[in-house]
Structures are given as structure tokens and as C-alpha cells.
Amino acid sequence: MSRIIQTRCCIAGGGPAGVMLGYLLARAGIDVVILEKHGDFFRDFRGDTIHPSTLEVVYELGLLDEFLRLPHQEIKEIGGQIGDEFIPLADTTHLPTHCKFLGFMPQWDFLNFFSEQGRKYPQFHLMMEAEVTDLLIEGNTVAGVKAMTPSGELEVRATLNIGCDGRSSTVRERAGLQVKSLGAPIDVLWFRVSRRPDDPGQVLGRFIPGKILVMLNRDEYWQCAFVIRKGMFDEIRQRGMDSFRDDIISVAPFLKDRAHEINDWEQIKLLTVLVDHLRKWYRPGLLCIGDAAHAMSPVGGVGINLAIQDAVATANILAHPLSENYISLTHLQQVQWRREFPTKVTQWGQVQVQEQILSAVLGSEGQVKPPWFLRLFKNLPVLRRIPARLIGMGVRPEHVRTPDILNPPPPYQAPREAPFSFWHLPR
Ligand SMILES: Cc1cc2nc3c(=O)[nH]c(=O)nc-3n(C[C@H](O)[C@H](O)[C@H](O)COP(=O)(O)OP(=O)(O)OC[C@H]3O[C@@H](n4cnc5c(N)ncnc54)[C@H](O)[C@@H]3O)c2cc1C
């Protein structure tokens, strides 16, 4: 016999989309249960970028100072090493946001911070080690989810169920929502190597013929992403570890003295890149957002930001109807209408970069030279504001419109009558 919980909103998945949405709804006074299959947030290789538009949301929530006390790096200029040439690509210092930089913070710190904030609200219930296994469907409506927990099976019944369980979403698969795949010609190998204070600065990527390496500065180590052609990992393994280390050194020669730190294939994680989106993000009783609605490529490192913007828009649109315990298909459709355009534009851009730049570099054998239009970025600094805006703020930045039950706005006070004044007499 499974345990049954009744709530207003059940969220499957405690990633950036799920935790932010759960926090915003609980903050607005709505009872919410988040089910996360892992026991903690300490998983590596999940993307660590916190964009200026996400930081703006944190500012609007009144949490920015506290948030920025967590260890993080601030990057204001991003560039790429293409062959022998360094091209500065984005300059975030002119963005119309409070934080004019891209933050790098381990995702577990971000998720721990927002789950701690969520726990201040009695309506916030985060259940770890609770894996959603199926949906409870009554008629044509999703009435809840089934989950497996260490203490046995659990049924969570809710007015609305939201799939935030990432790109291999169980929820979207069980709901039978149709996926449109945009294809991805690349995969990524993640690993880390130690960092020294005199190492070169962070760049968006290092490109040489046939090889691309992205290196994220994590203070004590480099989080490295080696981009490979799709399905090539087995061949790389067969060539052996020495050959793999040589590949890394050829892109980043300053790693020569510590390439030996990579000595076991267990240290290297293959992340299969997917780019897709749902044709319809909802059905009665159910909505998908974040990667569950649209798996993002790592290009531009914008997936977390999009997941958070989805969460803000969803809370803005659904908090009021949820507080009245009535969600119609029109409400769910509004969420898709609001977020579908930014998703499609961003994915289109990612596909262009994957196909026109990354595939071209991986397939090239001669010298890699920056295309003419990228050279313009070197000579015309004002151009660097365009990618900064696209990456840093995204296509349609969202703003927090939901209330905070712990800090309600002061009661309305009618303006006092103006005192009698000679100057206000009709002439
Ligand atoms: C190689 C790679 C690198 C990337 N790098 C970046 C980057 O640097 N910056 C960036 O912004 N984006 C990056 N992205 C994209 C980014 O990771 C995602 O877009 C973003 O994490 C989506 O957030 P989400 O909350 O929708 O899903 P996820 O982050 O995938 O979170 C889903 C959560 O649901 C949980 N879950 C899954 N199934 C279940 C279940 N059945 N029951 C309960 N819980 C479940 C998971 O454990 C997870 O915690 C990268 C993607 C890839 C593939």
C-alpha cells in the first residue's frame, strides 16, 4: 500500500527549473511538493553559469547580497582562442542589469541556496531520494505522480503536476508528449585538471584543427569540456589514454605538466548532447518546463538561465489560478506561448553554432582561422555588446511578479489631502 500526499502543485525534478519554481510558488503561499531522485545536489558536470538575467531575478527576490556571498567567479569579458588568435567576443559591462557579469558557481551551491530559502516557507516541501516513476491518470487528466522513495512507494496527488525532470524526462515520456528533435552533431567529454595562478585566463573555447576545448575556471581546478563528433568516444578510448592526453595538450599546451592527472577513463564523463523541444508542453493536469520541455545544447551555456526564466514565467502565470485551485488548459497554454519563442530562437542559434562553427572546426585539418565577421569583434568593441546581450540576458528576460507571503507589501494608504495653498486656488 503506497503512502499518499495531497498538494496543490507537484514538481518532478529538483534541478534549476524545479527548485526555482518550487521556491517561487511556496513564496506566493502555494503548497508545493518537489520530488528529486538524488539524495543531494552534489553532482558534477551540470553547468555552472549564472547569467546576468538570472542574477536580476535574484535581485528582484531581494536575495542578491546574500547570494553573492557564496563563492563564485565573475567574468565580464568572454573570448575564444581560434588557432593562434584570441578573439574577444562578449563584453557584459554595458548590460542594463544590476550585475554586469556572468557568474560561475557550482550548481549544487545554487540549488542548496534556493532550497534553503524555500524552507523558510511552510508550503515548501522538498523530498530527496524520491524518483518519479509514473503518472496517475484519471480520465484524460494527470491527477498526480507515483514515486519510489527509500521508505517505499509514494503517490503525490496534485491540482497541477509539473515535469522539471530534465532532458531524459520520465514525466514527458509517460505523458506521451511529442518531441521534435533538432539533432546535435557533437558530444562532450567532461573532466578536470588542476589550475595554477599563472595559467591563462578563462576563454569561451580553444579551437585548433579537429579539436575544441572549453575550460571553466573553478579556482583550484579547470572544469574542461572537450567537444567531440557525435559517437566518437569509443574510438577515442580505443586510441588510448596517451593519445587523449596528447589531444588535450595540443589545444592547451600549458596543461602539459599536469596532463598525467587524467589517468583513468572513469575520470572522464561522456555527456551526450541533445537539442529538442516538445510540440505541446502540457496536457490536462500536467505541464513541462526547463529541459523537460526543451533539451538545450551546452553551446553558450544558456540552459540553466532558460530553465530559470521558464520557472519565473510559470510562477507569474500560474500562481494566482493555483491559489484559487483552478487550472485550465488556457493557463498552461499561456506558459507555452510565453516561453516557446525564446526557446526556439535560442535553440536555432545553438544549432547554427553547432553546425557552422563546431562541426567545421572538428572536421578541419588545415589551419583554423577566425571568419572575417569574428575579426570585426576585435576592432569594433561595441559589437561585443550584442553576444553579451544574447548570452547574458536571453531573448525574453522574465521578471518576478509573484508576491512574498512573508513580506507582503505595506497596506494601501490613500494620499493625504493637499494642505490649503493660495497657489492651488482656481484662477
Ligand atoms: C554537457 C552539457 C553542459 C552544459 N553546460 C551548461 C552550462 O555551463 N551552463 C548552462 O546554463 N547550461 C548548461 N547545460 C544545459 C543545462 O544543464 C540544462 O539546460 C539545465 O540544467 C536544465 O535545468 P532543468 O532544471 O530543466 O533540468 P536538470 O538540470 O536536468 O534537472 C533535472 C532534475 O530532475 C531530476 N530528475 C530526473 N529524473 C527524475 C525523476 N524521474 N524523478 C525525480 N527527479 C528526477 C534530476 O536528478 C535533476 O536534478 C549543459 C548541458 C550539457 C548537456
Side-chain angles (χ1 to χ4, degrees):
M1 183 69 186
S2 46
R3 195 157 60 104
I4 299 177
I5 296 178
Q6 186 78 42
T7 183
R8 199 55 74 82
C9 179
C10 172
I11 296 174
V19 168
M20 179 56 92
L21 178 61
Y23 165 69
L24 287 169
L25 291 179
R27 183 177 172 272
I30 290 148
D31 199 74
V32 56
V33 172
I34 306 172
L35 303 169
E36 166 55 46
K37 71 175 175 184
H38 289 100
D40 56 42
F41 297 123
F42 289 95
R43 285 177 301 291
D44 223 332
F45 318 119
R46 296 192 50 174
D48 298 337
T49 40
I50 312 286
H51 288 246
S53 50
T54 299
L55 290 164
E56 196 65 8
V57 166
V58 182
Y59 167 79
E60 288 168 359
L61 293 167
L63 300 171
L64 187 62
D65 290 342
E66 204 179 326
F67 183 71
L68 290 180
R69 267 181 241 130
L70 296 174
H72 67 281
Q73 287 89 42
E74 298 178 5
I75 309 291
K76 295 184 176 148
E77 286 176 2
I78 312 168
Q81 182 78 34
I82 305 182
D84 298 331
E85 213 171 327
F86 178 77
I87 304 282
L89 288 171
D91 169 6
T92 58
T93 54
H94 300 275
L95 290 178
T97 46
H98 285 81
C99 296
K100 297 178 192 306
F101 57 81
L102 210 69
F104 280 85
M105 179 186 287
Q107 202 182 109
W108 54 82
D109 281 347
F110 179 88
L111 295 175
N112 278 327
F113 179 84
F114 274 97
S115 40
E116 282 309 311
Q117 295 299 329
R119 286 194 185 96
K120 293 181 184 163
Y121 299 87
Q123 292 82 356
F124 183 89
H125 311 282
L126 171 61
M127 299 183 68
M128 304 302 283
E129 289 186 273
E131 177 167 4
V132 173
T133 51
D134 211 345
L135 301 179
L136 296 165
I137 298 179
E138 289 174 358
N140 186 34
T141 303
V142 178
V145 303
K146 280 187 189 169
M148 191 45 85
T149 69
S151 53
E153 212 174 68
L154 173 75
E155 277 186 23
V156 183
R157 300 188 152 264
T159 307
L160 180 63
N161 303 279
I162 306 192
C164 296
D165 49 346
R167 57 212 197 106
S168 325
S169 169
T170 305
V171 169
R172 81 179 186 184
E173 189 249 315
R174 292 296 150 113
L177 297 174
Q178 263 187 37
V179 183
K180 181 178 179 193
S181 171
L182 305 187
I186 54 163
D187 284 331
V188 176
L189 302 181
W190 282 96
F191 55 92
R192 54 171 78 166
V193 211
S194 59
R195 186 177 163 273
R196 312 244 164 97
D198 54 342
D199 281 349
Q202 179 154 299
V203 294
L204 194 64
R206 294 172 179 278
F207 302 81
I208 65 166
K211 297 182 191 86
I212 302 168
L213 182 68
V214 178
M215 299 179 73
L216 305 177
N217 174 353
R218 285 272 195 87
D219 265 350
E220 284 165 15
Y221 61 91
W222 290 106
Q223 181 69 62
C224 301
F226 189 60
V227 182
I228 59 172
R229 271 187 281 144
K230 196 157 232 30
M232 290 295 285
F233 188 41
D234 281 343
E235 197 183 312
I236 292 174
R237 282 170 72 122
Q238 273 163 18
R239 286 209 304 263
M241 186 54 86
D242 285 338
S243 156
F244 179 67
R245 281 193 290 251
D246 289 345
D247 283 349
I248 302 301
I249 295 166
S250 63
V251 206
F254 67 95
L255 294 182
K256 190 169 182 185
D257 57 350
R258 57 207 113 133
H260 63 271
E261 291 171 11
I262 321 163
N263 50 33
D264 189 339
W265 292 110
E266 285 298 303
Q267 291 169 279
I268 297 158
K269 300 272 182 285
L270 168 70
L271 282 164
T272 310
V273 177
L274 298 173
V275 187
D276 65 31
H277 55 247
L278 295 179
R279 291 182 194 277
K280 206 166 161 196
W281 294 22
Y282 58 89
R283 58 176 277 182
L286 179 100
L287 172 72
C288 287
I289 62 165
D291 267 22
H294 46 74
M296 303 304 290
S297 157
V299 168
V302 292
I304 297 170
N305 190 44
L306 240 81
I308 287 171
Q309 302 291 319
D310 280 7
V312 174
T314 305
N316 287 345
I317 294 167
L318 300 185
H320 182 65
L322 271 173
S323 70
E324 301 201 327
N325 206 13
Y326 175 70
I327 292 285
S328 71
L329 276 186
T330 314
H331 293 126
L332 304 180
Q333 197 178 43
Q334 278 172 15
V335 176
Q336 177 170 352
W337 281 350
R338 175 92 200 156
R339 296 305 306 160
E340 196 172 31
F341 177 70
T343 302
K344 285 190 169 170
V345 173
T346 312
Q347 288 188 330
W348 180 85
Q350 292 185 319
V351 169
Q352 298 311 308
V353 173
Q354 284 177 175
E355 283 169 7
Q356 311 294 334
I357 301 179
L358 304 186
S359 293
V361 173
L362 291 177
S364 71
E365 289 178 357
Q367 222 189 340
V368 179
K369 283 190 177 166
W372 63 269
F373 60 90
L374 285 187
R375 285 230 167 81
L376 290 178
F377 283 78
K378 220 169 170 179
N379 303 322
L380 288 171
V382 72
L383 289 182
R384 297 174 208 160
R385 296 184 192 186
I386 302 169
R389 177 115 194 174
L390 288 174
I391 296 174
M393 298 190 61
V395 173
R396 181 181 277 158
E398 303 288 346
H399 297 280
V400 178
R401 310 246 183 262
T402 40
D404 179 356
I405 48 164
L406 295 185
N407 294 298
Y412 175 74
Q413 282 187 340
R416 270 192 284 152
E417 290 280 315
F420 173 79
S421 145
F422 173 79
W423 300 106
H424 288 111
L425 285 178
R427 307 225 169 155

